[in-house]
PDB file of all heavy atoms in Angstrom:
ATOM      1  N   ALA K 142      -1.787 -54.592  -6.874  1.00  0.00           N
ATOM      2  CA  ALA K 142      -1.038 -54.384  -8.166  1.00  0.00           C
ATOM      3  C   ALA K 142       0.351 -53.881  -7.955  1.00  0.00           C
ATOM      4  O   ALA K 142       1.186 -53.965  -8.868  1.00  0.00           O
ATOM      5  CB  ALA K 142      -1.871 -53.392  -8.996  1.00  0.00           C
ATOM      6  N   THR K 143       0.631 -53.337  -6.835  1.00  0.00           N
ATOM      7  CA  THR K 143       2.043 -52.856  -6.561  1.00  0.00           C
ATOM      8  C   THR K 143       2.776 -53.827  -5.686  1.00  0.00           C
ATOM      9  O   THR K 143       3.839 -53.498  -5.173  1.00  0.00           O
ATOM     10  CB  THR K 143       1.965 -51.461  -5.840  1.00  0.00           C
ATOM     11  OG1 THR K 143       1.479 -51.620  -4.526  1.00  0.00           O
ATOM     12  CG2 THR K 143       1.162 -50.447  -6.557  1.00  0.00           C
ATOM     13  N   GLY K 144       2.149 -54.995  -5.422  1.00  0.00           N
ATOM     14  CA  GLY K 144       2.819 -55.986  -4.556  1.00  0.00           C
ATOM     15  C   GLY K 144       2.688 -55.671  -3.066  1.00  0.00           C
ATOM     16  O   GLY K 144       3.473 -56.183  -2.266  1.00  0.00           O
ATOM     17  N   ARG K 145       1.723 -54.846  -2.731  1.00  0.00           N
ATOM     18  CA  ARG K 145       1.560 -54.417  -1.305  1.00  0.00           C
ATOM     19  C   ARG K 145       0.174 -54.833  -0.823  1.00  0.00           C
ATOM     20  O   ARG K 145      -0.755 -55.107  -1.634  1.00  0.00           O
ATOM     21  CB  ARG K 145       1.810 -52.962  -1.165  1.00  0.00           C
ATOM     22  CG  ARG K 145       3.313 -52.647  -1.198  1.00  0.00           C
ATOM     23  CD  ARG K 145       3.515 -51.184  -1.361  1.00  0.00           C
ATOM     24  NE  ARG K 145       4.980 -50.917  -1.244  1.00  0.00           N
ATOM     25  CZ  ARG K 145       5.859 -51.201  -2.225  1.00  0.00           C
ATOM     26  NH1 ARG K 145       5.424 -51.762  -3.386  1.00  0.00           N
ATOM     27  NH2 ARG K 145       7.116 -50.943  -2.050  1.00  0.00           N
ATOM     28  N   ASP K 146       0.014 -54.736   0.481  1.00  0.00           N
ATOM     29  CA  ASP K 146      -1.312 -54.911   1.118  1.00  0.00           C
ATOM     30  C   ASP K 146      -1.351 -54.176   2.404  1.00  0.00           C
ATOM     31  O   ASP K 146      -0.345 -53.692   2.891  1.00  0.00           O
ATOM     32  CB  ASP K 146      -1.703 -56.404   1.202  1.00  0.00           C
ATOM     33  CG  ASP K 146      -0.710 -57.165   2.070  1.00  0.00           C
ATOM     34  OD1 ASP K 146      -0.228 -56.615   3.027  1.00  0.00           O
ATOM     35  OD2 ASP K 146      -0.427 -58.313   1.689  1.00  0.00           O
ATOM     36  N   ARG K 147      -2.500 -54.287   3.044  1.00  0.00           N
ATOM     37  CA  ARG K 147      -2.653 -53.657   4.375  1.00  0.00           C
ATOM     38  C   ARG K 147      -2.254 -54.533   5.482  1.00  0.00           C
ATOM     39  O   ARG K 147      -2.535 -54.284   6.689  1.00  0.00           O
ATOM     40  CB  ARG K 147      -4.102 -53.147   4.553  1.00  0.00           C
ATOM     41  CG  ARG K 147      -5.105 -54.258   4.583  1.00  0.00           C
ATOM     42  CD  ARG K 147      -6.499 -53.755   4.902  1.00  0.00           C
ATOM     43  NE  ARG K 147      -7.068 -52.997   3.886  1.00  0.00           N
ATOM     44  CZ  ARG K 147      -8.025 -52.055   3.998  1.00  0.00           C
ATOM     45  NH1 ARG K 147      -8.421 -51.737   5.293  1.00  0.00           N
ATOM     46  NH2 ARG K 147      -8.540 -51.409   3.066  1.00  0.00           N
ATOM     47  N   GLY K 148      -1.559 -55.614   5.176  1.00  0.00           N
ATOM     48  CA  GLY K 148      -1.173 -56.515   6.232  1.00  0.00           C
ATOM     49  C   GLY K 148       0.000 -56.022   6.991  1.00  0.00           C
ATOM     50  O   GLY K 148       0.474 -54.894   6.918  1.00  0.00           O
ATOM     51  N   THR K 149       0.595 -56.904   7.829  1.00  0.00           N
ATOM     52  CA  THR K 149       1.578 -56.477   8.767  1.00  0.00           C
ATOM     53  C   THR K 149       3.027 -56.897   8.398  1.00  0.00           C
ATOM     54  O   THR K 149       3.941 -56.814   9.179  1.00  0.00           O
ATOM     55  CB  THR K 149       1.264 -57.043  10.154  1.00  0.00           C
ATOM     56  OG1 THR K 149       1.049 -58.483  10.047  1.00  0.00           O
ATOM     57  CG2 THR K 149      -0.024 -56.409  10.712  1.00  0.00           C
ATOM     58  N   ASP K 150       3.164 -57.330   7.153  1.00  0.00           N
ATOM     59  CA  ASP K 150       4.496 -57.702   6.732  1.00  0.00           C
ATOM     60  C   ASP K 150       5.271 -56.388   6.365  1.00  0.00           C
ATOM     61  O   ASP K 150       4.734 -55.564   5.648  1.00  0.00           O
ATOM     62  CB  ASP K 150       4.335 -58.621   5.456  1.00  0.00           C
ATOM     63  CG  ASP K 150       5.683 -58.789   4.778  1.00  0.00           C
ATOM     64  OD1 ASP K 150       6.547 -59.323   5.460  1.00  0.00           O
ATOM     65  OD2 ASP K 150       5.822 -58.416   3.633  1.00  0.00           O
ATOM     66  N   LEU K 151       6.441 -56.244   6.958  1.00  0.00           N
ATOM     67  CA  LEU K 151       7.119 -54.923   6.794  1.00  0.00           C
ATOM     68  C   LEU K 151       7.407 -54.585   5.279  1.00  0.00           C
ATOM     69  O   LEU K 151       7.196 -53.512   4.779  1.00  0.00           O
ATOM     70  CB  LEU K 151       8.452 -54.947   7.529  1.00  0.00           C
ATOM     71  CG  LEU K 151       9.306 -53.718   7.362  1.00  0.00           C
ATOM     72  CD1 LEU K 151       8.505 -52.473   7.760  1.00  0.00           C
ATOM     73  CD2 LEU K 151      10.592 -53.772   8.172  1.00  0.00           C
ATOM     74  N   ALA K 152       7.885 -55.609   4.544  1.00  0.00           N
ATOM     75  CA  ALA K 152       8.273 -55.349   3.154  1.00  0.00           C
ATOM     76  C   ALA K 152       7.042 -55.007   2.281  1.00  0.00           C
ATOM     77  O   ALA K 152       7.114 -54.072   1.475  1.00  0.00           O
ATOM     78  CB  ALA K 152       8.946 -56.572   2.538  1.00  0.00           C
ATOM     79  N   GLY K 153       5.942 -55.706   2.501  1.00  0.00           N
ATOM     80  CA  GLY K 153       4.763 -55.462   1.641  1.00  0.00           C
ATOM     81  C   GLY K 153       3.658 -54.682   2.267  1.00  0.00           C
ATOM     82  O   GLY K 153       2.653 -54.365   1.606  1.00  0.00           O
TER      83      GLY K 153
END
Side-chain angles (χ1 to χ4, degrees):
T143 68
R145 282 166 176 75
D146 58 39
R147 63 174 72 205
T149 52
D150 170 60
L151 176 58

